[in-house]
Amino acid sequence: MDISDYSYVVVGSGLAGAVLAERIATKVGKPVLVLEKRGHIGGNCYSTNDRETGIEYHAYGTHIFHTSDEKVWNYIRQFTTFNNYQHRVLSSHQGKIYQFPINLETINHFYGVNLKPFEVEGFMAGVRDPSITEPANFEEKALSLIGRDLYEAFFKHYTIKQWQVDPRTLPASIFNRLPFRKNYVDNYFFDKWQGIPEKGYTRVFENLLADKKIRVLLNTDFFALRDRIRKDACLIYSGPIDRYFDYKYGKLSWRTLRFEQETLPMEDYQGNSVVNYPGAEVRYTRIHEPRHLHPEREFTRDKTIIFREYSLHDQGDNPYYPIASAENQRLLALYQQEAVRLPNVFITGRLGDYKYYDMHHTIARSLEIFENGVLPLITANHAV
Ligand code: UDP
């Protein structure tokens, strides 16, 4: 089949695109063309084995699958089993390791006290900033909840490194992403289901895209062959929304990550999959050690691999996180107004929706587009 023969074209083989390609191929039963700019499938979920050590790692940063959405869970389990990994994060402050997000162990260790859960509230009342009654930004929110010492140790510099802006310019809602716990619970997520695909993320994508009706073209830029795609094709576009419209209103800004890999001559470097480095003394924000994501696997005992994570803004061609500024929201609204006028085009995914989706959000969104966008479109076209 030639490119111009396909009635269903999916741009991007990340989670948003792969789920929709799977739904269309298996439920509509029509050929689907998937165009992938990179040399691999899976988008930023892509995982691969390190050549030297055989340790599987997530090339675009540690991805933990977690959801409480039964529909999403039942859907994804058709394509993978999950191991029993539970995400716990540690934070390194002045050479000492603390549990993170802040819980009772963090507070006791940090202040050298031995509080009981029911004593935390009274203690925190003494360290909080009582003058902030209506916190208007990230910093004020932090000071009003945990006080200056914990804020400066664990949040301030991490946030500056991560967002490269003054924390007083960030919304208080970003601080709310993290819980503050008065007990010893140290799970990062509270979802009903959690884990890492037992055979890795890339295998999940191979399974999603396994149907013979799906044809994936790697190293293929949609914009280079856009003219050859049928004008009436159902197009699923999961790339950046501003790029789709040739940046006509201007560019949305993105936060990007850079990873520096190192192989070390020991079995275990840090004893955990992720350790945060919230201090100003190092430029990276965290260190990932992927062997810990698969406690069920036997890896080499001689070596381990680690990845130092650095945050960048608008550099390279690898957008990760939308930046929630008023200007970006204004641009996004302009692009979205254009997008709704294209009945057979669905712009989606983290890049298309310009939303900070976790993986389970992306799956839910793709299932929703299939049911409430693609299927009605087919019905409407048949009716004509
Ligand atoms: N944060 C921090 N110190 C940390 C971890 C997170 O200050 O050790 C801040 C940072 O500003 C981050 C926010 O808390 O953007 C929310 O954390 P989350 O883990 O949700 O961050 P993300 O998923 O964006 O990396």
Side-chain angles (χ1 to χ4, degrees), residues 329-357:
Q329 291 311 315
R330 190 186 69 81
L331 287 182
L332 178 63
L334 292 172
Y335 286 121
Q336 284 175 335
Q337 274 167 26
E338 298 262 329
V340 292
R341 286 191 221 122
L342 306 170
N344 56 329
V345 179
F346 299 96
I347 300 184
T348 184
R350 192 188 275 210
L351 307 183
D353 285 336
Y354 196 66
K355 271 215 186 99
Y356 186 179
Y357 288 142

Side-chain angles (χ1 to χ4, degrees), residues 175-367:
F175 190 80
N176 293 340
R177 277 179 64 91
L178 295 173
F180 169 76
R181 299 187 182 130
K182 296 168 192 165
N183 55 28
Y184 289 107
V185 171
D186 61 347
N187 285 40
Y188 209 73
F189 304 115
F190 271 136
D191 279 312
K192 206 161 167 185
W193 299 288
Q194 184 177 166
I196 308 290
E198 258 171 336
K199 292 185 176 159
Y201 280 98
T202 298
R203 181 67 76 84
V204 182
F205 287 85
E206 286 165 3
N207 293 341
L208 281 165
L209 299 167
D211 193 285
K212 296 255 177 314
K213 291 183 282 307
I214 301 176
R215 177 174 164 210
V216 181
L217 298 181
L218 298 178
N219 300 304
T220 304
D221 183 1
F222 160 70
F223 294 99
L225 41 81
R226 196 175 191 172
D227 294 342
R228 289 169 58 196
I229 293 168
R230 283 170 55 163
K231 294 281 167 286
D232 62 348
C234 170
L235 181 74
I236 313 287
Y237 173 84
S238 65
I241 187 167
D242 53 351
R243 173 73 183 96
Y244 186 85
F245 294 105
D246 294 322
Y247 308 111
K248 63 193 273 191
Y249 299 116
K251 282 194 168 188
L252 293 164
S253 42
W254 296 93
R255 189 161 74 79
T256 297
L257 303 181
R258 178 173 74 80
F259 294 94
E260 191 180 82
Q261 180 175 357
E262 195 177 348
T263 305
L264 298 169
M266 62 199 65
E267 180 179 1
D268 190 351
Y269 174 69
Q270 63 182 15
N272 204 42
S273 60
V274 179
V275 177
N276 289 359
Y277 282 81
E281 65 282 359
V282 290
R283 280 181 24 247
Y284 46 86
T285 51
R286 42 192 177 185
I287 299 183
H288 305 256
E289 189 174 17
R291 70 179 308 132
H292 297 291
L293 297 171
H294 286 284
E296 78 284 8
R297 289 192 196 171
E298 278 283 337
F299 290 122
T300 171
R301 304 222 168 135
D302 303 333
K303 287 176 185 162
T304 190
I305 51 173
I306 61 165
F307 294 82
R308 293 186 187 84
E309 176 180 321
Y310 296 84
S311 201
L312 307 166
H313 277 224
D314 291 326
Q315 287 176 43
D317 196 14
N318 228 348
Y320 276 67
Y321 299 94
I323 296 174
S325 69
E327 174 58 8
N328 284 328
Q329 291 311 315
R330 190 186 69 81
L331 287 182
L332 178 63
L334 292 172
Y335 286 121
Q336 284 175 335
Q337 274 167 26
E338 298 262 329
V340 292
R341 286 191 221 122
L342 306 170
N344 56 329
V345 179
F346 299 96
I347 300 184
T348 184
R350 192 188 275 210
L351 307 183
D353 285 336
Y354 196 66
K355 271 215 186 99
Y356 186 179
Y357 288 142
D358 290 336
M359 288 179 282
H360 61 288
H361 298 131
T362 305
I363 295 173
R365 169 90 171 116
S366 285
L367 296 178

